[in-house]
Amino acid sequence: MIPREILRKVRRIEITTRGLVDQVFSGEYHSVFKGRGINFAEVREYDYGDDIRTIDWNVTARTGTPHVKIFEEERELTVMLLVDVSASGDFGTRERMKGDLAVEVCSLLAFSAIKNNDKVGLIIFSDRVEKFVPPRKGRRHVLRVLREMLYHEPAGRTTDLGAALEYLSRIIRRRAVVFVVSDFVSKPFEKALGVAGRRHDIVALRVRDRRESELPSIGLVELEDAETGERLVVDTSNRDFRAAFASRGEEARAGQDRTFRRSKVDVVDLSPGRPYLRPLMRFFEERGRRI
C-alpha cells in the first residue's frame, strides 16, 4: 500500500508539471525530438527535383529506370529517465533537496513525452541499478513512474553511473532519448557513456547546489560526505580554505564537462535554489537551432 502522503505528492507534482507542459514546454520538446528518427518507407521512380542522394542504385540498375528511396519520420520515440538516488541527492540549502528537483524535472519531461505520444521508461540507480520500469505510454504509466521515484528507498549510498549506462545499453536496444539526472559525482563512467551515446541520444541534467562548491563565512562547521559518511570540521572564515573548496568544486565540474564533450553529450545545469524551467527551455531552444 502506497502511503497517502506519497499519493498527495504525486498529485501535486502532476498538477504543477502538466500545467507547465500545456502552457509553455511541450512545443520545445516537440520541436527538438519529434521526427528525429527516420524510417525507410518505399522506393518510387525518380521525379524531377528529387534529391539525387536518395537514389537507390540497386533498384535503378535492376529496372533500368532511376528510383529513389522514400523515408518517413518515426512518430514514436522512447524517452528513458536515468535517475541517481544516491545519498548526495538528500542535499539542499534552500526550499528543496536535489532529489526533489530531480523528481519535478523528470515529471515535466515525462508529461511532455506522453503529450507527444511517446513512451517513457525509468531506471533508478545508485552504486547499482535499483529499479527498472519498462517504457510505455499514457498518463497512468507516468503516474506510476512518479510514484516509483517518490516511494523508492535507495539500497546504495554511492554512485556508479557506468553500471547504469551499461544496463541501459543491454536492456534498451532501440534508439532512445535518455535524460540522465545526477550530480555526476561517480565512479568512472566515460567509457560506458561513450558506448551508450553511440546508440542513444543522451542529455545530462546536472543537479548541483551552489553550496557544494561555495561556502559562506560562518566560522567552524562540521561537513559530512553524504555518500561515504566521512566527517570533517573546517573553518569557513578562512579565506584560503573557501578559495580551495571552490577551486576543487570547479575542477570537478570542468572534468565532467570534458567527459561530456568527448562523448558529445549535451549538459544542462540545474540547481534546487533556482527555477528549472528557464535553463531547460534555453537548452531546447539552442538545440533546436542546431538541428
Side-chain angles (χ1 to χ4, degrees), residues 3-215:
R4 189 169 298 177
E5 178 186 355
I6 296 297
L7 296 177
R8 283 198 294 265
K9 284 185 178 180
V10 169
R11 181 58 178 160
R12 187 185 71 247
I13 292 172
E14 179 191 13
I15 291 172
T16 301
T17 54
R18 284 190 71 180
L20 292 174
V21 168
D22 292 338
Q23 294 172 27
V24 294
F25 193 73
S26 181
E28 304 297 335
Y29 169 93
H30 180 93
S31 64
V32 171
F33 292 118
K34 288 305 287 185
R36 292 299 304 277
I38 302 295
N39 285 334
F40 171 74
E42 60 179 336
V43 173
R44 63 162 171 77
E45 288 192 11
Y46 176 87
D47 284 335
Y48 178 77
D50 285 339
D51 189 340
I52 61 173
R53 291 175 297 182
T54 64
I55 291 177
D56 188 322
W57 295 107
N58 291 330
V59 176
T60 297
R62 190 167 63 249
T63 63
T65 303
H67 281 70
V68 293
K69 295 179 179 178
I70 304 300
F71 297 88
E72 60 183 13
E73 291 184 342
E74 183 181 357
R75 302 314 300 171
E76 178 185 291
L77 297 179
T78 296
V79 174
M80 289 299 302
L81 305 172
L82 267 66
V83 182
D84 178 0
V85 293
S86 61
S88 60
D90 291 332
F91 184 84
T93 55
R94 293 201 177 184
E95 57 272 9
R96 56 187 162 192
M97 301 296 184
K98 289 160 56 179
D100 297 331
L101 174 60
V103 172
E104 287 193 31
V105 170
C106 286
S107 175
L108 178 66
L109 295 169
F111 279 113
S112 296
I114 64 167
K115 187 177 178 67
N116 286 277
N117 201 38
D118 294 335
K119 296 179 179 179
V120 179
L122 172 69
I123 294 176
I124 294 175
F125 71 95
S126 56
D127 53 14
R128 68 204 78 175
V129 172
E130 301 203 7
K131 187 76 177 183
F132 170 60
V133 178
R136 293 179 182 170
K137 297 181 183 180
R139 173 180 173 271
R140 291 183 64 182
H141 178 68
V142 167
L143 294 179
R144 180 200 169 186
V145 167
L146 294 184
R147 288 195 300 269
E148 293 289 358
M149 286 190 288
L150 288 169
Y151 192 48
H152 183 79
E153 292 291 338
R157 296 187 59 83
T158 59
T159 308
D160 190 348
L161 176 56
L165 290 168
E166 290 171 2
Y167 181 83
L168 170 76
S169 296
R170 291 195 306 270
I171 204 73
I172 304 297
R173 308 298 296 178
R174 184 182 178 187
R175 183 172 177 82
V177 178
V178 180
F179 293 97
V180 184
V181 189
S182 175
D183 58 15
F184 295 92
V185 179
S186 167
K187 297 177 182 178
F189 59 86
E190 183 171 359
K191 181 178 179 181
L193 182 65
V195 171
R198 285 195 286 271
R199 172 177 296 162
H200 302 296
D201 185 351
I202 298 179
V203 180
L205 303 181
R206 181 167 50 189
V207 181
R208 296 277 288 170
D209 191 283
R210 68 188 182 94
R211 290 306 181 200
E212 292 178 286
S213 58
E214 177 186 331
L215 289 176

